[in-house]
Amino acid sequence: MPEDPIATSKKTVPRVNLRRRVVNGAVTCAAAGSVILVLIPLVAVFGYLVYRGIGSVNWAFLTQTPKPVGEAGGGMANAIAGSAFILLIASVIGVPFGIGAGIYLAEYGRNRFGDVIRFTADVLNGVPSIVIGIVAYGIVVLAQGHFSALAGGVALSLMMIPTISRTTEEMLLLVPNSLREASYGLGISRWRTTLSITLRTATSGVITGVMLAFARVAGETAPLLFTAFGNQYWNFSMEQPTAALPLQIFTYAISPFDEWHRQAWAGALVLIVLIVVSVSAVRIAASRGMLKGAN
Amino acid sequence: MANGALRVPGLTGPKPVAGPQLARDTSLSAIRLKDAGGRLADNVFHGLVLSCALAILAVVGLVLYELISKSQLSWHAFGFKFFLGQNWDPVQDQFGALPFIYGTIVSSLLALILAVPLAIGVAVFTTEMSPRWLRGPLAFTTELLAAIPSVIYGLWAIFVLVPLLRQYVQPWLARYLGWTGLFEGPPYGIGMLAAGIILAIMIVPIVSSITREVMTAVSQQQRESVLALGATRWEMIRMGVLRNARAGIMGGVILGLGRALGETMALTMVIGNRPEIARSLFAPGYTMASVIANEFSEATGNLYLSALIEVGLALFLVTMVVNILAQLLVWSVTRGAPARTHA
Amino acid sequence: MNAEPNTEIGVQVENLNAWFGKTQALQDISMNVAAKHATAIIGPSGCGKSTFVRCLNRMHETVRDARVTGRVRIGELDVYNGTPAVYVRRHVGMVFQKANPFPTMSIYDNVAAGLRLNGFSDRHKLDEIVENSLKMAVLWDEIKGDLRKKSGASLSGGQQQRLCIARALAVEPQVLLMDEPCSALDPISSGKIEDLIFQLKEHYTIVIVTHNMQQAARVAEYTGFFLLGRLIEFDKTEKIFTKPSEKRTEDYITGRFG
């Protein structure tokens, strides 16, 4: 009977030895362990937000302005509205500029100059938010002579522009070139093609980018500290200091009063729900196909 | 159109015999189209989007201009000693930024030490080990971690993390590792250690998502060629993936550092805000971003404000350099461009 | 000499040269394309046939670093002198290799796109043109029920290509350029497009690029053979395929290269 070739090979090539298998198993456990370790704070943060916050989110919280120290009750209605107002200003400034710059990068900027812009956008994206606050203070607050909603909006818009422009560019580049050609072939001018064909095809992707930028700045506190500044009352003037949800959370969290701590948790819960809802909505919409039907 | 103008050398085309009649342009008379201004409109549009792109350049220019021009006063008063002085005394108009620089660096390094192994572990697990159905949810969860605002991390740290540290972790550390000098003094809870931990939680998502990105960029062939040699899965990851992706992973780590350096709110809430340099991680500290956050709107006097803006300028320049370095490293892997020069 | 006495010139090309950067893609092409007939352009891959048709409606210049010299006249339109490119393209329809309907638009909007985006807004007239164009493209009966409901991208490959033809016809061009319109289609869909070409050439000057010689023989009255950026031979299709005067044409026709 001829020698079994498999048996021979077992002699020359040793089976994966014990030590290597143990190392492999240990590393697998370590990796899985690190996933669990990372998930703990996530669960803890959300758990505490719900646990501490849910009891305090009530009708009064959502409709009333803060009460003076020592009085129970009151709410953050003005801060929620103020955040919405500041974010509206930020979007009105940031979204057009961001999308415009994204269009430039995708449709005209496939060259050295485009690379310079891309690079600068990445630099701007990395600027610490507190520094953006200083800049907005310098160009808006100093010019106006006082803190204002406008200053807060400008600060947040500066943070939105680079994110929106880079995602817009990415989404426009995903649109197949054959659609641009089809449009040119019909005698449609370049600007019309860009707006009505390319941008329209990429709409859902561009909206995703805008929503992500929005969610990112919605919770920003540092750039609002000395721009929007905060306010105990309602304000809907661009010219006046304005309350914002993250600012209010900060102020209440570092205060010594239990009642305020309770409200800080409630505010945080409201804020996180708003952000998580918008991020997940975008995630789901995106997974259903960025470019619906494009091939 | 003269017949003689037709030059079709050596070719027989449908050459009309008796003077070619160019076909009449009749079809378009049926519908009249506005000539939509064509070139002018195109140029206007180009100009419009170009100015949006230039706005990005302008903003970065403006950031630099604002920071440099408004910090002149402080720069002239203290010069380079500003960054070496330990005394921050607004009442005496004496400003030295070293405690903030120290606090920023120590809290960021502490965060990196804690976060990097975890982040790489998470990335390795999600890309190489986890069952396929788990990948999406895991990636989503880490993304969620990144979406939580800084101020909420701060809130959570004040009321959950800090008491935990004070009651359990710090006494334990002091008892067993106190001899290092890093863990001594009264356990306040609040301080450098709390800052480092909360910062670590915040940068894990960034580092792990970039690591995941560069690991996916490593080609399947690299993996298979190592597996074909009879390697275990870990050996494949180590030799086939991590080795090829190391420059990009380094980039992700540095990007995390950039984020940590500029992080403001959560740190301001737990680091203790005391401008002193202490060896122990239990002691309170202060960071560059925190001092701006706390003192900017109350800064009275031009020199005080100017000093704070100079801190901002230093912070901006450092994060910019760190971010650029990180970008280059990440690009070297994902685009396969000048990998060797940066590795 | 085999020109028909009544044939008008649809497209007149003189000394056309085209470049991509420093590479010359077309060298000194001169030819007269007969109006209201189909002319096929054949030749091996990379011979410049696509570039040639893309020069006729100035699509060539949308590619970076591309350049053209020479003269092209379509009717009274001097393509390269004093006419804006978008104006030229409105008079010259183009159908591409791969069907490319606008994915976010309904069937109706796809056909109407060329007119709407050029500023045409008469609704009743638009309805009429859309219907006519779809009928001309022999697509009307198949889709008239979901004109506004279905996206252009939801149709089958052959239907998509006919939709693209309808879209090109809606702007009422004089010339229809087709760049390998059937190369991505199955034989049945290809057959439908060929039938369509037969009907269309009663109204339009058609230039069709194809790598399929049977197709050229079936649909076109005239055929031009391109090789390495030059027009080697241009004649009645019949003659090209039966007794070409050039050795190289014969080699290609008989499958000796390419």
Side-chain angles (χ1 to χ4, degrees):
Chain A
M1 189 178 156
E3 211 176 327
D4 180 359
I6 295 171
T8 323
S9 78
K10 270 184 186 159
K11 279 176 210 151
T12 47
V13 182
R15 296 207 2 228
V16 176
N17 66 35
L18 187 64
R19 196 182 59 82
R20 288 169 65 200
R21 271 190 298 168
V22 167
V23 169
N24 188 41
V27 171
T28 310
C29 289
S34 56
V35 171
I36 292 166
L37 258 178
V38 168
L39 290 184
I40 288 175
L42 184 75
V43 173
V45 169
F46 276 94
Y48 266 90
L49 276 177
V50 175
Y51 164 64
R52 301 287 297 266
I54 200 100
S56 307
V57 179
N58 50 32
W59 187 242
F61 178 82
L62 295 172
T63 53
Q64 294 182 6
T65 56
K67 290 263 169 67
V69 181
E71 280 182 48
M76 289 196 183
N78 62 329
I80 296 171
S83 263
F85 185 45
I86 293 169
L87 285 168
L88 179 72
I89 298 172
S91 306
V92 165
I93 304 169
V95 172
F97 272 101
I99 293 183
I103 290 176
Y104 179 83
L105 290 177
E107 304 292 324
Y108 301 90
R110 319 304 306 158
N111 50 29
R112 193 60 65 77
F113 180 68
D115 287 338
V116 171
I117 300 284
R118 246 167 244 124
F119 180 77
T120 318
D122 286 346
V123 168
L124 186 56
N125 207 13
V127 176
S129 57
I130 188 88
V131 172
I132 295 285
I134 296 181
V135 175
Y137 175 86
I139 57 179
V140 186
V141 176
L142 284 187
Q144 283 185 317
H146 46 80
F147 301 111
S148 70
L150 180 65
V154 167
L156 296 188
S157 76
L158 297 185
M159 303 186 65
M160 287 175 91
I161 290 174
T163 324
I164 295 180
S165 71
R166 290 311 300 274
T167 45
T168 302
E169 181 196 2
E170 250 169 64
M171 294 304 143
L172 290 179
L173 288 179
L174 284 181
V175 175
N177 210 30
S178 64
L179 293 185
R180 294 183 184 84
E181 294 216 314
S183 176
Y184 294 148
L186 292 171
I188 298 168
S189 55
R190 194 168 177 181
W191 71 276
R192 221 45 229 257
T193 301
T194 305
L195 287 183
S196 303
I197 306 295
T198 322
L199 191 60
R200 181 167 164 185
T201 308
T203 306
S204 55
V206 171
I207 291 176
T208 307
V210 170
M211 288 300 294
L212 288 179
F214 187 85
R216 187 186 146 206
V217 300
E220 276 296 344
T221 317
L224 299 181
L225 286 169
F226 32 88
T227 52
F229 194 69
N231 192 333
Q232 293 293 306
Y233 307 100
W234 292 98
N235 169 53
F236 288 104
S237 160
M238 300 247 280
E239 300 284 314
Q240 293 302 316
T242 304
L245 197 48
L247 277 180
Q248 201 81 345
I249 296 168
F250 174 62
T251 320
Y252 279 15
I254 58 171
S255 77
F257 313 113
D258 276 347
E259 171 67 14
W260 280 15
H261 294 163
R262 208 173 54 74
Q263 296 229 352
W265 282 104
L269 181 63
V270 170
L271 181 60
I272 201 78
V273 165
L274 291 178
I275 290 173
V276 169
V277 163
S278 59
V279 171
S280 337
V282 158
R283 264 300 278 229
I284 291 163
S287 66
R288 296 269 157 84
M290 288 284 185
L291 299 169
K292 196 172 55 183
N295 41 10
Chain B
M1 182 73 218
N3 196 7
L6 294 178
R7 273 163 293 163
V8 194
L11 297 173
T12 52
K15 228 182 271 173
V17 176
Q21 291 273 305
L22 283 172
R24 288 271 144 201
D25 179 1
T26 51
S27 55
L28 268 160
S29 53
I31 40 169
R32 217 160 280 253
L33 293 175
K34 276 181 286 180
D35 190 15
R39 201 158 295 172
L40 178 69
D42 264 346
N43 289 339
V44 169
F45 182 71
H46 187 165
L48 219 59
V49 292
L50 175 63
S51 47
C52 290
L54 286 173
I56 293 180
L57 278 183
V59 167
V60 172
L62 197 68
V63 170
L64 268 175
Y65 172 79
E66 281 289 323
L67 294 176
I68 292 174
S69 70
K70 296 217 163 83
S71 62
Q72 283 304 303
L73 202 58
S74 161
W75 176 251
H76 285 305
F78 307 109
F80 198 73
K81 272 191 293 184
F82 181 77
F83 301 107
L84 301 175
Q86 292 199 32
N87 188 21
W88 183 267
D89 188 351
V91 182
Q92 306 287 328
D93 260 352
Q94 280 304 312
F95 299 103
L98 193 62
F100 311 122
I101 297 172
Y102 174 83
T104 301
I105 292 174
V106 171
S107 60
S108 299
L109 286 183
L110 190 59
L112 281 189
I113 292 169
L114 296 172
V116 168
L118 284 181
I120 294 180
V122 170
V124 165
F125 187 82
T126 31
T127 51
E128 310 288 336
M129 294 172 175
S130 89
R132 198 159 286 278
W133 58 268
L134 199 59
R135 281 180 200 181
L138 274 180
F140 177 62
T141 325
T142 29
E143 213 170 282
L144 216 54
L145 212 49
I148 300 175
S150 178
V151 69
I152 293 186
Y153 276 115
L155 177 72
W156 179 78
I158 288 183
F159 293 106
V160 182
L161 183 66
V162 166
L164 209 66
L165 286 177
R166 186 172 51 222
Q167 281 168 12
Y168 304 103
V169 182
Q170 289 187 336
W172 187 87
L173 283 172
R175 186 177 316 154
Y176 295 103
L177 294 168
W179 52 271
T180 55
L182 292 174
F183 307 102
E184 55 182 24
Y188 297 118
I190 273 177
M192 199 65 92
L193 183 65
I197 292 174
I198 197 70
L199 208 44
I201 296 174
M202 295 175 73
I203 64 172
V204 159
I206 297 201
V207 182
S208 83
S209 74
I210 303 232
T211 306
R212 210 169 54 220
E213 198 178 299
V214 291
M215 282 176 70
T216 349
V218 173
S219 76
Q220 201 58 33
Q221 285 168 350
Q222 299 276 8
R223 293 185 174 83
E224 285 170 359
S225 62
V226 181
L227 275 182
L229 293 173
T232 62
R233 188 160 58 179
W234 163 243
E235 287 162 341
M236 179 273 284
I237 294 167
R238 189 164 54 87
M239 295 190 282
V241 182
L242 293 181
R243 184 169 297 176
N244 288 306
R246 63 189 167 192
I249 295 174
M250 198 61 213
V253 170
I254 296 181
L255 216 56
L257 176 66
R259 175 78 187 275
L261 292 173
E263 192 44 63
T264 315
M265 297 320 294
L267 287 187
T268 308
M269 293 160 89
V270 298
I271 201 170
N273 299 330
R274 190 193 293 170
E276 274 168 20
I277 297 177
R279 181 173 180 194
S280 171
L281 296 178
F282 288 2
Y286 220 153
T287 70
M288 297 161 84
S290 307
V291 71
I292 303 173
N294 276 326
E295 302 184 5
F296 196 89
S297 53
E298 290 151 18
T300 46
N302 291 332
L303 188 62
Y304 191 5
L305 202 63
S306 179
L308 283 170
I309 294 178
E310 191 172 351
V311 172
L313 176 63
L315 184 60
F316 170 69
L317 293 178
V318 171
T319 47
M320 195 172 83
V321 169
V322 165
N323 281 329
I324 290 171
L325 189 65
Q327 276 307 343
L328 292 176
L329 285 169
V330 173
W331 281 353
S332 74
V333 173
T334 51
R335 300 195 182 170
R340 297 295 148 254
T341 50
H342 300 296
Chain C
M1 269 297 144
N2 42 21
E4 317 279 320
N6 296 326
T7 311
E8 291 179 321
I9 299 178
V11 183
Q12 186 180 32
V13 182
E14 280 177 56
N15 307 102
L16 185 74
N17 290 283
W19 288 264
F20 288 104
K22 288 198 172 103
T23 4
Q24 188 162 8
L26 289 179
Q27 294 192 17
D28 203 33
I29 311 288
S30 296
M31 71 191 285
N32 290 331
V33 176
K36 305 199 173 169
H37 284 76
T39 300
I41 307 291
I42 60 169
S45 315
C47 68
K49 32 186 214 297
S50 281
T51 311
F52 174 69
V53 290
R54 289 169 65 91
C55 283
L56 301 186
N57 68 342
R58 297 185 59 174
M59 284 296 283
H60 179 63
E61 65 202 58
T62 61
V63 180
R64 230 174 123 187
D65 295 330
R67 203 156 56 82
V68 182
T69 65
R71 194 162 193 209
V72 176
R73 290 171 67 91
I74 293 171
E76 286 162 350
L77 205 68
D78 192 335
V79 171
Y80 283 96
N81 282 320
T83 322
V86 286
Y87 192 70
V88 170
R89 293 183 198 133
R90 261 176 236 162
H91 290 247
V92 183
M94 187 156 199
V95 178
F96 298 83
Q97 197 163 350
K98 195 160 173 260
N100 49 7
F102 301 128
T104 50
M105 295 187 186
S106 68
I107 295 171
Y108 182 96
D109 291 340
N110 258 286
V111 181
L115 290 170
R116 270 201 190 137
L117 298 181
N118 277 319
F120 184 82
S121 54
D122 179 344
R123 286 196 173 200
H124 294 290
K125 188 85 186 165
L126 204 56
D127 286 348
E128 198 180 298
I129 294 172
V130 168
E131 183 176 340
N132 275 334
S133 308
L134 284 167
K135 277 180 178 159
M136 257 198 283
V138 208
L139 191 59
W140 177 254
D141 292 328
E142 293 167 47
I143 49 87
K144 62 186 170 196
D146 7 63
L147 208 51
R148 291 171 195 272
K149 273 181 283 177
K150 274 195 177 173
S151 139
S154 66
L155 300 174
S156 75
Q159 286 176 324
Q160 285 192 14
Q161 194 61 293
R162 277 178 283 149
L163 176 61
C164 292
I165 293 175
R167 182 176 66 187
L169 295 179
V171 288
E172 305 199 0
Q174 292 164 270
V175 178
L176 193 58
L177 307 175
M178 306 179 110
D179 187 356
E180 305 202 22
C182 303
S183 65
L185 300 182
D186 61 277
I188 295 175
S189 304
S190 301
K192 283 189 181 162
I193 304 267
E194 283 178 22
D195 290 343
L196 180 56
I197 295 172
F198 259 97
Q199 295 170 29
L200 291 177
K201 66 190 178 191
E202 289 181 16
H203 309 280
Y204 303 94
T205 305
I206 294 178
V207 181
I208 174 171
V209 171
T210 175
H211 57 225
N212 178 337
M213 282 179 278
Q214 287 76 27
Q215 187 174 61
R218 282 194 298 268
V219 302
E221 283 81 18
Y222 298 95
T223 297
F225 171 60
F226 277 66
L227 186 64
L228 299 172
R230 291 175 188 279
L231 177 58
I232 303 300
E233 189 167 355
F234 177 41
D235 214 321
K236 286 202 138 183
T237 303
E238 210 183 292
K239 175 146 186 302
I240 293 273
F241 283 98
T242 51
K243 40 181 194 307
S245 32
E246 284 276 330
K247 175 80 168 61
R248 285 171 292 179
T249 314
E250 194 184 340
D251 287 349
Y252 179 69
I253 302 292
T254 51
R256 236 163 277 166
F257 65 82

